[in-house]
Amino acid sequence: MDKTVANLNETVWKDNSFTAKCQIPIDVFPVQIQNIITDYNKYLNYPIEFTSASILGATSVTMGNCIRLEVIKRWIEKPILFIIMIQDRGYKKSHPMDEIFNPIFLKEELFAEQFDESVIEFKNQLKEDKDFDGDEPVKKRITISRFSPEVLYKIHKNNPKGIIIHCDEAKAWFGTFNQQSNNADEQMWCNMYNGKHLQRDTITHGHQYIANAFVSILGGTQPDEIMEFIKKNTNNGLVDRILFIYPDYLKKQKWSKTDIPSTTVEQWENIYSNLSSLFKYDPENIKTVKYTDEAFEKLCDWQSKINDEDNEKEDKIFTGIVAKAETNVHRIAMILEALSLATNGENSMNNVGLTAVNGAIKLIEYFIDEALKVRNYSNKSKTDFKSIWFDLLPKEFTTEEAITIAKKHKLAQRKTVFNWLDSDNIMKVEHGKYKKKLK
């Protein structure tokens, strides 16, 4: 590692006076990352959830095709994530994206300068030697924002480590679907998510082939836009692959009168530098890691539990979300392991351990709740709020849990919940405790 990250005992991490409101469990991150996230919230009003999402996205593309996780024999996962942040205009979705990606943008700026110099040199060599047959310079990229499928294939072909769709407005991504043929783009993105080989044939560009795909997505959008997208894309499984983040509790905040500490910005730059050093791309030596035994045992226990819950619910939406959560949890675990290594000065990733798995389980359960929230919002026009509330309830619950679920998803207030509890499909076990009557 060529950059120093502040030690956990240093005073820079000792300010515990600020408690940020959030829904995402940021305690899954190393404490250095937690402090960076909360500092951006404290001093710049960046929502906790959006900064967290940006860190996940930046880490994902920095790892890229350098490493893969063998869950079990023949089951391989890469740290590819599709993340969509949802809120109305004015809630600072793009600010944390740009701040966290700034080290990446600076690297791309250097790539652009190197490319321009290479082009000049290439042209000069052509002038000097008509028989010169050297390779034409290729521009290195990490992020792209606006593109056609043909351009995406070309950029990825030239950047085999991987790329990320970084778009302030995610509609720049999903708003162009199916302009050429019906459902073709959704299927292409389902394949992108899987991280296998990709190929397509067009009249203009002929045959395009990517042997080892790695494309992550990080974007922001507004509630109405994403609801429309969901309604049009529920049959192919693409929606279930997306990690939604919708902090609907957000309110406008007063400006801070204090500057963010320079150490906060520097520490993220150092952590990113360490991540870059950890994951250098060599197509001949792509590393494969496995879980530690205790980490895999923990994941199996979680999968068994969520499977039982899925079987009890008998809900197609929940089933679809959980099916992809069982993939995303591995990818998140890889990312959390990488962040831990980068903040602790390690120079090699050899396995994925229990701490990363515990964090991944907490995060994926948060993302399951967010997906259900978003899907329920999109269905409100055709489903009554009481049915939505009932579906979200656990098999056994307390009065306060029932009220909390209704308020969290903006379905009803306390008085209405008491009326809903008096239903044929709910049985009162004792004072304040209830059980769902499942068919």
Side-chain angles (χ1 to χ4, degrees):
M1 296 289 180
D2 53 358
K3 296 290 184 180
T4 301
V5 177
N7 186 279
L8 296 183
N9 295 321
E10 292 189 26
T11 56
V12 68
W13 308 125
K14 292 300 183 181
D15 178 13
N16 296 318
S17 61
F18 179 69
T19 303
K21 180 178 180 180
C22 63
Q23 294 172 342
I24 193 168
I26 65 168
D27 61 327
V28 304
F29 294 106
V31 68
Q32 298 99 321
I33 300 289
Q34 293 178 44
N35 276 265
I36 290 166
I37 292 169
T38 54
D39 271 4
Y40 275 116
N41 180 262
K42 179 179 181 179
Y43 298 104
L44 292 168
N45 292 330
Y46 292 177
I48 295 288
E49 285 80 3
F50 298 157
T51 305
S52 301
S54 300
I55 289 173
L56 290 172
T59 308
S60 165
V61 73
T62 305
M63 297 172 74
N65 267 324
C66 298
I67 195 162
R68 56 189 187 177
L69 171 67
E70 186 179 70
V71 182
I72 55 176
K73 198 169 185 63
R74 306 295 297 171
W75 181 1
I76 299 293
E77 292 294 344
K78 305 177 187 180
I80 297 170
L81 297 180
F82 288 5
I83 306 174
I84 299 294
M85 304 178 295
I86 307 168
Q87 248 302 346
D88 290 315
R89 291 187 180 92
Y91 282 92
K92 297 191 174 180
K93 298 186 292 292
S94 60
H95 292 71
M97 288 174 61
D98 291 342
E99 187 71 39
I100 294 302
F101 272 70
N102 190 57
I104 294 177
F105 295 152
L106 291 175
K107 183 174 283 191
E108 287 189 307
E109 187 176 321
L110 179 61
F111 290 161
E113 292 174 0
Q114 292 171 341
F115 174 73
D116 290 342
E117 292 172 359
S118 298
V119 168
I120 293 171
E121 184 180 343
F122 181 78
K123 289 180 177 179
N124 288 336
Q125 286 180 310
L126 283 176
K127 289 179 182 178
E128 294 172 3
D129 183 1
K130 293 182 180 180
D131 296 325
F132 175 69
D133 62 351
D135 293 333
E136 190 172 341
V138 171
K139 189 174 184 178
K140 292 183 180 179
R141 297 283 294 275
I142 302 173
T143 69
I144 57 175
S145 52
R146 293 184 177 274
F147 54 89
S148 65
E150 291 78 15
V151 169
L152 174 65
Y153 267 73
K154 182 178 180 180
I155 292 174
H156 193 359
K157 182 78 172 178
N158 292 335
N159 296 274
K161 179 181 179 181
I163 53 178
I164 186 167
I165 312 301
H166 178 282
C167 43
D168 293 345
E169 294 295 334
K171 197 171 183 180
W173 167 55
F174 61 74
T176 60
F177 281 9
N178 306 325
Q179 291 182 345
Q180 302 297 323
S181 59
N182 201 28
N183 293 326
D185 288 335
E186 288 96 325
Q187 187 57 53
M188 180 188 80
W189 284 104
C190 288
N191 292 336
M192 289 275 189
Y193 172 89
N194 293 336
K196 309 297 183 183
H197 75 275
L198 301 171
Q199 58 183 332
R200 60 185 279 133
D201 295 279
T202 64
I203 294 174
T204 305
H205 295 86
H207 184 67
Q208 293 180 298
Y209 183 83
I210 304 293
N212 195 16
F214 191 105
V215 182
S216 284
I217 299 169
L218 177 68
T221 192
Q222 297 167 49
D224 290 347
E225 292 177 344
I226 199 65
M227 301 313 167
E228 186 65 25
F229 166 72
I230 289 172
K231 289 176 183 177
K232 292 180 179 179
N233 295 277
T234 54
N235 295 326
N236 49 41
L238 177 60
V239 171
D240 295 329
R241 289 166 165 81
I242 298 172
L243 300 175
F244 293 107
I245 296 180
Y246 187 4
D248 50 2
Y249 69 90
L250 289 179
K251 295 181 179 180
K252 297 294 180 65
Q253 301 295 316
K254 294 179 181 179
W255 293 345
S256 170
K257 297 178 181 179
T258 308
D259 289 339
I260 188 170
S262 59
T263 52
T264 300
V265 179
E266 291 167 2
Q267 286 305 303
W268 170 244
E269 292 172 351
N270 292 347
I271 290 168
Y272 172 74
S273 178
N274 288 352
L275 283 168
S276 296
S277 297
L278 260 173
F279 301 103
K280 293 187 179 297
Y281 181 65
D282 179 356
E284 302 301 321
N285 291 288
I286 296 175
K287 191 169 186 178
T288 300
V289 297
K290 296 183 178 182
Y291 286 112
T292 63
D293 290 344
E294 59 179 356
F296 188 60
E297 188 66 30
K298 179 73 175 183
L299 263 177
C300 290
D301 289 344
W302 170 79
Q303 193 271 340
S304 178
K305 172 178 165 289
I306 200 75
N307 223 23
D308 290 344
E309 186 178 351
D310 183 18
N311 290 331
E312 285 181 5
K313 284 181 178 290
E314 296 183 348
D315 180 277
K316 289 184 178 179
I317 291 178
F318 186 76
T319 296
I321 292 169
V322 167
K324 300 312 173 190
E326 291 180 0
T327 295
N328 281 322
V329 70
H330 301 298
R331 302 176 178 197
I332 294 170
M334 293 179 73
I335 289 171
L336 293 180
E337 184 70 35
L339 285 170
S340 176
L341 295 171
T343 53
N344 288 301
E346 302 293 335
N347 57 17
S348 179
M349 183 169 170
N350 299 314
N351 54 49
V352 177
L354 183 60
T355 300
V357 162
N358 283 331
I361 289 171
K362 286 185 73 172
L363 259 186
I364 201 61
E365 288 182 344
Y366 160 79
F367 281 121
I368 290 172
D369 285 344
E370 291 295 282
L372 288 170
K373 180 202 300 183
V374 172
R375 296 293 288 274
N376 286 332
Y377 283 163
S378 70
N379 289 335
K380 278 183 178 180
S381 60
K382 55 186 178 183
T383 308
D384 67 276
F385 288 4
K386 182 179 177 181
S387 296
I388 295 172
W389 167 79
F390 182 81
D391 288 341
L392 291 170
L393 291 172
K395 187 175 181 181
E396 297 181 4
F397 57 92
T398 65
T399 304
E400 287 306 312
E401 287 172 335
I403 293 169
T404 298
I405 289 171
K407 287 184 175 181
K408 177 181 177 181
H409 298 282
K410 294 185 177 180
L411 300 172
Q413 295 300 313
R414 189 180 189 89
K415 185 177 179 180
T416 302
V417 173
F418 279 111
N419 292 331
W420 287 353
L421 287 170
D422 186 18
S423 302
D424 293 337
N425 55 358
I426 294 176
M427 180 175 70
K428 185 173 183 179
V429 179
E430 58 181 82
H431 180 69
K433 293 185 178 181
Y434 297 85
K435 178 185 289 188
K436 292 167 74 172
K437 296 179 182 178
L438 300 174
K439 296 180 181 179

PDB file of all heavy atoms in Angstrom, residues 347-372:
ATOM      1  N   ASN A 347      -2.329  -5.903   1.657  1.00  0.00           N
ATOM      2  CA  ASN A 347      -1.943  -5.834   0.243  1.00  0.00           C
ATOM      3  C   ASN A 347      -2.415  -7.018  -0.575  1.00  0.00           C
ATOM      4  O   ASN A 347      -2.006  -7.199  -1.721  1.00  0.00           O
ATOM      5  CB  ASN A 347      -0.427  -5.690   0.111  1.00  0.00           C
ATOM      6  CG  ASN A 347       0.324  -6.824   0.794  1.00  0.00           C
ATOM      7  OD1 ASN A 347      -0.256  -7.868   1.098  1.00  0.00           O
ATOM      8  ND2 ASN A 347       1.599  -6.619   1.052  1.00  0.00           N
ATOM      9  N   SER A 348      -3.313  -7.827  -0.001  1.00  0.00           N
ATOM     10  CA  SER A 348      -3.807  -8.979  -0.756  1.00  0.00           C
ATOM     11  C   SER A 348      -5.140  -9.431  -0.182  1.00  0.00           C
ATOM     12  O   SER A 348      -5.339  -9.427   1.033  1.00  0.00           O
ATOM     13  CB  SER A 348      -2.801 -10.130  -0.700  1.00  0.00           C
ATOM     14  OG  SER A 348      -3.276 -11.256  -1.393  1.00  0.00           O
ATOM     15  N   MET A 349      -6.063  -9.825  -1.060  1.00  0.00           N
ATOM     16  CA  MET A 349      -7.350 -10.379  -0.643  1.00  0.00           C
ATOM     17  C   MET A 349      -7.317 -11.879  -0.872  1.00  0.00           C
ATOM     18  O   MET A 349      -7.236 -12.341  -2.013  1.00  0.00           O
ATOM     19  CB  MET A 349      -8.487  -9.739  -1.434  1.00  0.00           C
ATOM     20  CG  MET A 349      -9.878 -10.192  -1.018  1.00  0.00           C
ATOM     21  SD  MET A 349     -11.145  -9.139  -1.789  1.00  0.00           S
ATOM     22  CE  MET A 349     -12.643 -10.065  -1.405  1.00  0.00           C
ATOM     23  N   ASN A 350      -7.360 -12.648   0.211  1.00  0.00           N
ATOM     24  CA  ASN A 350      -7.189 -14.095   0.119  1.00  0.00           C
ATOM     25  C   ASN A 350      -8.463 -14.885   0.398  1.00  0.00           C
ATOM     26  O   ASN A 350      -8.565 -16.050   0.026  1.00  0.00           O
ATOM     27  CB  ASN A 350      -6.085 -14.545   1.079  1.00  0.00           C
ATOM     28  CG  ASN A 350      -4.750 -13.903   0.747  1.00  0.00           C
ATOM     29  OD1 ASN A 350      -4.353 -13.872  -0.413  1.00  0.00           O
ATOM     30  ND2 ASN A 350      -4.080 -13.365   1.750  1.00  0.00           N
ATOM     31  N   ASN A 351      -9.412 -14.266   1.075  1.00  0.00           N
ATOM     32  CA  ASN A 351     -10.697 -14.912   1.334  1.00  0.00           C
ATOM     33  C   ASN A 351     -11.706 -13.854   1.746  1.00  0.00           C
ATOM     34  O   ASN A 351     -11.373 -12.673   1.874  1.00  0.00           O
ATOM     35  CB  ASN A 351     -10.586 -16.005   2.409  1.00  0.00           C
ATOM     36  CG  ASN A 351      -9.959 -15.486   3.701  1.00  0.00           C
ATOM     37  OD1 ASN A 351     -10.369 -14.445   4.230  1.00  0.00           O
ATOM     38  ND2 ASN A 351      -8.967 -16.200   4.222  1.00  0.00           N
ATOM     39  N   VAL A 352     -12.936 -14.273   1.939  1.00  0.00           N
ATOM     40  CA  VAL A 352     -13.990 -13.390   2.456  1.00  0.00           C
ATOM     41  C   VAL A 352     -14.404 -13.958   3.807  1.00  0.00           C
ATOM     42  O   VAL A 352     -14.838 -15.112   3.899  1.00  0.00           O
ATOM     43  CB  VAL A 352     -15.185 -13.316   1.487  1.00  0.00           C
ATOM     44  CG1 VAL A 352     -16.295 -12.443   2.076  1.00  0.00           C
ATOM     45  CG2 VAL A 352     -14.734 -12.762   0.140  1.00  0.00           C
ATOM     46  N   GLY A 353     -14.267 -13.145   4.847  1.00  0.00           N
ATOM     47  CA  GLY A 353     -14.447 -13.635   6.203  1.00  0.00           C
ATOM     48  C   GLY A 353     -15.785 -13.313   6.838  1.00  0.00           C
ATOM     49  O   GLY A 353     -16.678 -12.722   6.218  1.00  0.00           O
ATOM     50  N   LEU A 354     -15.898 -13.691   8.102  1.00  0.00           N
ATOM     51  CA  LEU A 354     -17.159 -13.597   8.829  1.00  0.00           C
ATOM     52  C   LEU A 354     -17.629 -12.157   9.010  1.00  0.00           C
ATOM     53  O   LEU A 354     -18.822 -11.869   8.907  1.00  0.00           O
ATOM     54  CB  LEU A 354     -17.021 -14.281  10.193  1.00  0.00           C
ATOM     55  CG  LEU A 354     -18.278 -14.330  11.064  1.00  0.00           C
ATOM     56  CD1 LEU A 354     -19.400 -15.092  10.355  1.00  0.00           C
ATOM     57  CD2 LEU A 354     -17.964 -14.988  12.412  1.00  0.00           C
ATOM     58  N   THR A 355     -16.707 -11.236   9.300  1.00  0.00           N
ATOM     59  CA  THR A 355     -17.108  -9.839   9.501  1.00  0.00           C
ATOM     60  C   THR A 355     -17.766  -9.282   8.247  1.00  0.00           C
ATOM     61  O   THR A 355     -18.814  -8.617   8.321  1.00  0.00           O
ATOM     62  CB  THR A 355     -15.888  -8.974   9.876  1.00  0.00           C
ATOM     63  OG1 THR A 355     -15.312  -9.474  11.086  1.00  0.00           O
ATOM     64  CG2 THR A 355     -16.295  -7.522  10.080  1.00  0.00           C
ATOM     65  N   ALA A 356     -17.169  -9.539   7.096  1.00  0.00           N
ATOM     66  CA  ALA A 356     -17.749  -9.070   5.832  1.00  0.00           C
ATOM     67  C   ALA A 356     -19.100  -9.714   5.568  1.00  0.00           C
ATOM     68  O   ALA A 356     -20.039  -9.060   5.094  1.00  0.00           O
ATOM     69  CB  ALA A 356     -16.797  -9.362   4.676  1.00  0.00           C
ATOM     70  N   VAL A 357     -19.233 -10.984   5.892  1.00  0.00           N
ATOM     71  CA  VAL A 357     -20.499 -11.693   5.672  1.00  0.00           C
ATOM     72  C   VAL A 357     -21.593 -11.164   6.592  1.00  0.00           C
ATOM     73  O   VAL A 357     -22.735 -10.947   6.162  1.00  0.00           O
ATOM     74  CB  VAL A 357     -20.309 -13.210   5.862  1.00  0.00           C
ATOM     75  CG1 VAL A 357     -21.649 -13.912   6.074  1.00  0.00           C
ATOM     76  CG2 VAL A 357     -19.601 -13.794   4.643  1.00  0.00           C
ATOM     77  N   ASN A 358     -21.264 -10.937   7.863  1.00  0.00           N
ATOM     78  CA  ASN A 358     -22.255 -10.366   8.781  1.00  0.00           C
ATOM     79  C   ASN A 358     -22.741  -9.016   8.266  1.00  0.00           C
ATOM     80  O   ASN A 358     -23.944  -8.705   8.314  1.00  0.00           O
ATOM     81  CB  ASN A 358     -21.653 -10.207  10.180  1.00  0.00           C
ATOM     82  CG  ASN A 358     -21.570 -11.522  10.927  1.00  0.00           C
ATOM     83  OD1 ASN A 358     -22.377 -12.414  10.705  1.00  0.00           O
ATOM     84  ND2 ASN A 358     -20.597 -11.645  11.816  1.00  0.00           N
ATOM     85  N   GLY A 359     -21.806  -8.204   7.772  1.00  0.00           N
ATOM     86  CA  GLY A 359     -22.179  -6.905   7.216  1.00  0.00           C
ATOM     87  C   GLY A 359     -23.018  -7.043   5.956  1.00  0.00           C
ATOM     88  O   GLY A 359     -23.989  -6.301   5.761  1.00  0.00           O
ATOM     89  N   ALA A 360     -22.653  -7.983   5.101  1.00  0.00           N
ATOM     90  CA  ALA A 360     -23.393  -8.188   3.856  1.00  0.00           C
ATOM     91  C   ALA A 360     -24.828  -8.626   4.129  1.00  0.00           C
ATOM     92  O   ALA A 360     -25.764  -8.203   3.432  1.00  0.00           O
ATOM     93  CB  ALA A 360     -22.680  -9.227   2.996  1.00  0.00           C
ATOM     94  N   ILE A 361     -25.012  -9.457   5.132  1.00  0.00           N
ATOM     95  CA  ILE A 361     -26.362  -9.909   5.488  1.00  0.00           C
ATOM     96  C   ILE A 361     -27.205  -8.726   5.976  1.00  0.00           C
ATOM     97  O   ILE A 361     -28.367  -8.564   5.577  1.00  0.00           O
ATOM     98  CB  ILE A 361     -26.299 -11.026   6.555  1.00  0.00           C
ATOM     99  CG1 ILE A 361     -25.752 -12.314   5.924  1.00  0.00           C
ATOM    100  CG2 ILE A 361     -27.675 -11.275   7.161  1.00  0.00           C
ATOM    101  CD1 ILE A 361     -25.450 -13.412   6.925  1.00  0.00           C
ATOM    102  N   LYS A 362     -26.624  -7.876   6.819  1.00  0.00           N
ATOM    103  CA  LYS A 362     -27.357  -6.694   7.299  1.00  0.00           C
ATOM    104  C   LYS A 362     -27.711  -5.771   6.136  1.00  0.00           C
ATOM    105  O   LYS A 362     -28.831  -5.250   6.055  1.00  0.00           O
ATOM    106  CB  LYS A 362     -26.530  -5.925   8.331  1.00  0.00           C
ATOM    107  CG  LYS A 362     -26.443  -6.596   9.681  1.00  0.00           C
ATOM    108  CD  LYS A 362     -25.714  -5.733  10.687  1.00  0.00           C
ATOM    109  CE  LYS A 362     -26.545  -4.556  11.137  1.00  0.00           C
ATOM    110  NZ  LYS A 362     -25.920  -3.812  12.265  1.00  0.00           N
ATOM    111  N   LEU A 363     -26.760  -5.577   5.234  1.00  0.00           N
ATOM    112  CA  LEU A 363     -27.015  -4.689   4.100  1.00  0.00           C
ATOM    113  C   LEU A 363     -28.051  -5.272   3.144  1.00  0.00           C
ATOM    114  O   LEU A 363     -28.932  -4.553   2.663  1.00  0.00           O
ATOM    115  CB  LEU A 363     -25.719  -4.432   3.339  1.00  0.00           C
ATOM    116  CG  LEU A 363     -25.006  -3.101   3.590  1.00  0.00           C
ATOM    117  CD1 LEU A 363     -23.809  -2.949   2.655  1.00  0.00           C
ATOM    118  CD2 LEU A 363     -25.942  -1.913   3.421  1.00  0.00           C
ATOM    119  N   ILE A 364     -27.963  -6.562   2.852  1.00  0.00           N
ATOM    120  CA  ILE A 364     -28.898  -7.128   1.887  1.00  0.00           C
ATOM    121  C   ILE A 364     -30.308  -7.163   2.466  1.00  0.00           C
ATOM    122  O   ILE A 364     -31.300  -7.005   1.726  1.00  0.00           O
ATOM    123  CB  ILE A 364     -28.455  -8.535   1.414  1.00  0.00           C
ATOM    124  CG1 ILE A 364     -29.124  -8.879   0.061  1.00  0.00           C
ATOM    125  CG2 ILE A 364     -28.786  -9.607   2.442  1.00  0.00           C
ATOM    126  CD1 ILE A 364     -28.782  -7.948  -1.067  1.00  0.00           C
ATOM    127  N   GLU A 365     -30.433  -7.317   3.763  1.00  0.00           N
ATOM    128  CA  GLU A 365     -31.768  -7.255   4.362  1.00  0.00           C
ATOM    129  C   GLU A 365     -32.334  -5.840   4.273  1.00  0.00           C
ATOM    130  O   GLU A 365     -33.542  -5.651   4.079  1.00  0.00           O
ATOM    131  CB  GLU A 365     -31.711  -7.754   5.811  1.00  0.00           C
ATOM    132  CG  GLU A 365     -31.506  -9.271   5.881  1.00  0.00           C
ATOM    133  CD  GLU A 365     -31.491  -9.816   7.291  1.00  0.00           C
ATOM    134  OE1 GLU A 365     -31.333  -9.019   8.235  1.00  0.00           O
ATOM    135  OE2 GLU A 365     -31.629 -11.046   7.444  1.00  0.00           O
ATOM    136  N   TYR A 366     -31.468  -4.846   4.408  1.00  0.00           N
ATOM    137  CA  TYR A 366     -31.889  -3.466   4.183  1.00  0.00           C
ATOM    138  C   TYR A 366     -32.351  -3.294   2.737  1.00  0.00           C
ATOM    139  O   TYR A 366     -33.407  -2.692   2.475  1.00  0.00           O
ATOM    140  CB  TYR A 366     -30.728  -2.508   4.482  1.00  0.00           C
ATOM    141  CG  TYR A 366     -30.877  -1.145   3.855  1.00  0.00           C
ATOM    142  CD1 TYR A 366     -31.702  -0.169   4.422  1.00  0.00           C
ATOM    143  CD2 TYR A 366     -30.196  -0.823   2.676  1.00  0.00           C
ATOM    144  CE1 TYR A 366     -31.844   1.072   3.827  1.00  0.00           C
ATOM    145  CE2 TYR A 366     -30.331   0.412   2.081  1.00  0.00           C
ATOM    146  CZ  TYR A 366     -31.151   1.365   2.655  1.00  0.00           C
ATOM    147  OH  TYR A 366     -31.299   2.594   2.060  1.00  0.00           O
ATOM    148  N   PHE A 367     -31.587  -3.833   1.782  1.00  0.00           N
ATOM    149  CA  PHE A 367     -31.943  -3.681   0.374  1.00  0.00           C
ATOM    150  C   PHE A 367     -33.225  -4.450   0.031  1.00  0.00           C
ATOM    151  O   PHE A 367     -33.981  -4.020  -0.854  1.00  0.00           O
ATOM    152  CB  PHE A 367     -30.794  -4.147  -0.520  1.00  0.00           C
ATOM    153  CG  PHE A 367     -29.684  -3.148  -0.646  1.00  0.00           C
ATOM    154  CD1 PHE A 367     -28.388  -3.463  -0.261  1.00  0.00           C
ATOM    155  CD2 PHE A 367     -29.930  -1.877  -1.142  1.00  0.00           C
ATOM    156  CE1 PHE A 367     -27.355  -2.536  -0.379  1.00  0.00           C
ATOM    157  CE2 PHE A 367     -28.908  -0.943  -1.260  1.00  0.00           C
ATOM    158  CZ  PHE A 367     -27.622  -1.264  -0.878  1.00  0.00           C
ATOM    159  N   ILE A 368     -33.466  -5.570   0.683  1.00  0.00           N
ATOM    160  CA  ILE A 368     -34.737  -6.286   0.484  1.00  0.00           C
ATOM    161  C   ILE A 368     -35.893  -5.409   0.922  1.00  0.00           C
ATOM    162  O   ILE A 368     -36.906  -5.279   0.217  1.00  0.00           O
ATOM    163  CB  ILE A 368     -34.740  -7.627   1.245  1.00  0.00           C
ATOM    164  CG1 ILE A 368     -33.777  -8.620   0.585  1.00  0.00           C
ATOM    165  CG2 ILE A 368     -36.146  -8.224   1.282  1.00  0.00           C
ATOM    166  CD1 ILE A 368     -33.564  -9.896   1.382  1.00  0.00           C
ATOM    167  N   ASP A 369     -35.762  -4.785   2.098  1.00  0.00           N
ATOM    168  CA  ASP A 369     -36.810  -3.879   2.588  1.00  0.00           C
ATOM    169  C   ASP A 369     -37.021  -2.709   1.632  1.00  0.00           C
ATOM    170  O   ASP A 369     -38.162  -2.294   1.384  1.00  0.00           O
ATOM    171  CB  ASP A 369     -36.442  -3.352   3.976  1.00  0.00           C
ATOM    172  CG  ASP A 369     -36.620  -4.386   5.074  1.00  0.00           C
ATOM    173  OD1 ASP A 369     -37.302  -5.403   4.822  1.00  0.00           O
ATOM    174  OD2 ASP A 369     -36.072  -4.191   6.179  1.00  0.00           O
ATOM    175  N   GLU A 370     -35.910  -2.148   1.121  1.00  0.00           N
ATOM    176  CA  GLU A 370     -36.028  -1.027   0.194  1.00  0.00           C
ATOM    177  C   GLU A 370     -36.721  -1.459  -1.104  1.00  0.00           C
ATOM    178  O   GLU A 370     -37.541  -0.711  -1.653  1.00  0.00           O
ATOM    179  CB  GLU A 370     -34.644  -0.454  -0.123  1.00  0.00           C
ATOM    180  CG  GLU A 370     -33.991   0.261   1.036  1.00  0.00           C
ATOM    181  CD  GLU A 370     -34.752   1.506   1.446  1.00  0.00           C
ATOM    182  OE1 GLU A 370     -34.631   2.543   0.777  1.00  0.00           O
ATOM    183  OE2 GLU A 370     -35.484   1.443   2.448  1.00  0.00           O
ATOM    184  N   ALA A 371     -36.385  -2.642  -1.592  1.00  0.00           N
ATOM    185  CA  ALA A 371     -37.018  -3.139  -2.813  1.00  0.00           C
ATOM    186  C   ALA A 371     -38.510  -3.330  -2.614  1.00  0.00           C
ATOM    187  O   ALA A 371     -39.328  -2.968  -3.484  1.00  0.00           O
ATOM    188  CB  ALA A 371     -36.364  -4.455  -3.243  1.00  0.00           C
ATOM    189  N   LEU A 372     -38.878  -3.887  -1.474  1.00  0.00           N
ATOM    190  CA  LEU A 372     -40.304  -4.063  -1.168  1.00  0.00           C
ATOM    191  C   LEU A 372     -41.007  -2.714  -1.063  1.00  0.00           C
ATOM    192  O   LEU A 372     -42.135  -2.552  -1.545  1.00  0.00           O
ATOM    193  CB  LEU A 372     -40.467  -4.847   0.139  1.00  0.00           C
ATOM    194  CG  LEU A 372     -40.114  -6.332   0.080  1.00  0.00           C
ATOM    195  CD1 LEU A 372     -40.082  -6.921   1.491  1.00  0.00           C
ATOM    196  CD2 LEU A 372     -41.123  -7.090  -0.793  1.00  0.00           C
TER     197      LEU A 372
END
